Amino acid sequence: MTFLKLGLASALALGLAACSNTTDTAAVDPNAAGGTISETSLQYFNTVVGDRVFFDTDSSALDLTAQETLTRQAQWMQANASTTAVIEGHADERGTREYNIALGARRANAAYNFLVSQGIDGSRLRTVSYGKERPEALGSDDASWAQNRRSVSVVTGAPVS
């Protein structure tokens, strides 16, 4: 009986190994056709690379997590040289409209400057501030505010595929 269990376990392991994807060119996405998405796709940029970074209250400083995301964005943009992007700056609902427009601009510029420092030509990037006018999350609580304090890199030029 033990021999039979060992044989079944080995057969299962071999079957799973035969089905595995060993290429680096696509990420697994169970919702995509064939279960993978192309590394050059907009979906890959938005979900795997990450299209947004978050900020502390009243801050435009990039923390380590934000820098890691922006580094991945720069690498993706270098590999997809025909793409351009608009970097949106956002703020939470607290504060005046004018204050939040200025804060959103500082956040967008922080992301812009980081991407340029990573070798992305500034002519491929544009910034815009929406302040508190386009919240990601509705609500007047810490969780909602944290989601709204962000910059979002929106790819505007067509990716390769």
Side-chain angles (χ1 to χ4, degrees):
M1 188 65 148
T2 302
F3 181 72
L4 181 61
K5 286 180 185 177
L6 183 58
L8 286 173
S10 296
L12 179 61
L14 288 173
L16 289 174
C19 293
S20 69
N21 181 359
T22 59
T23 64
D24 294 344
T25 60
V28 175
D29 180 3
N31 298 320
T36 60
I37 54 176
S38 169
E39 284 187 359
T40 60
S41 73
L42 199 53
Q43 182 182 11
Y44 184 90
F45 179 82
N46 291 338
T47 59
V48 178
V49 171
D51 65 345
R52 62 198 60 214
V53 296
F54 298 94
F55 296 88
D56 288 334
T57 303
D58 297 324
S59 175
S60 59
L62 298 169
D63 64 15
L64 184 57
T65 302
Q67 291 176 30
E68 290 169 351
T69 299
L70 290 168
T71 297
R72 289 191 308 273
Q73 288 183 14
Q75 291 167 343
W76 187 88
M77 289 189 74
Q78 288 167 344
N80 297 280
S82 66
T83 58
T84 56
V86 174
I87 303 168
E88 301 175 345
H90 298 271
D92 64 39
E93 66 181 22
R94 299 170 293 175
T96 65
R97 182 180 188 280
E98 294 77 19
Y99 174 80
N100 284 314
I101 289 289
L103 180 57
R106 288 193 304 273
R107 289 172 174 165
N109 285 324
Y112 171 94
N113 290 331
F114 189 90
L115 290 169
V116 168
S117 78
Q118 297 296 302
I120 302 303
D121 185 341
S123 67
R124 295 174 59 196
L125 304 170
R126 187 170 63 84
T127 62
V128 62
S129 176
Y130 292 112
K132 61 182 178 179
E133 303 304 318
R134 294 188 178 184
E136 179 75 16
L138 299 177
S140 297
D141 54 64
D142 290 335
S144 297
W145 294 331
Q147 290 180 57
N148 293 330
R149 296 187 307 261
R150 69 195 189 284
S151 73
V152 181
S153 298
V154 180
V155 175
T156 55
V160 177
S161 60

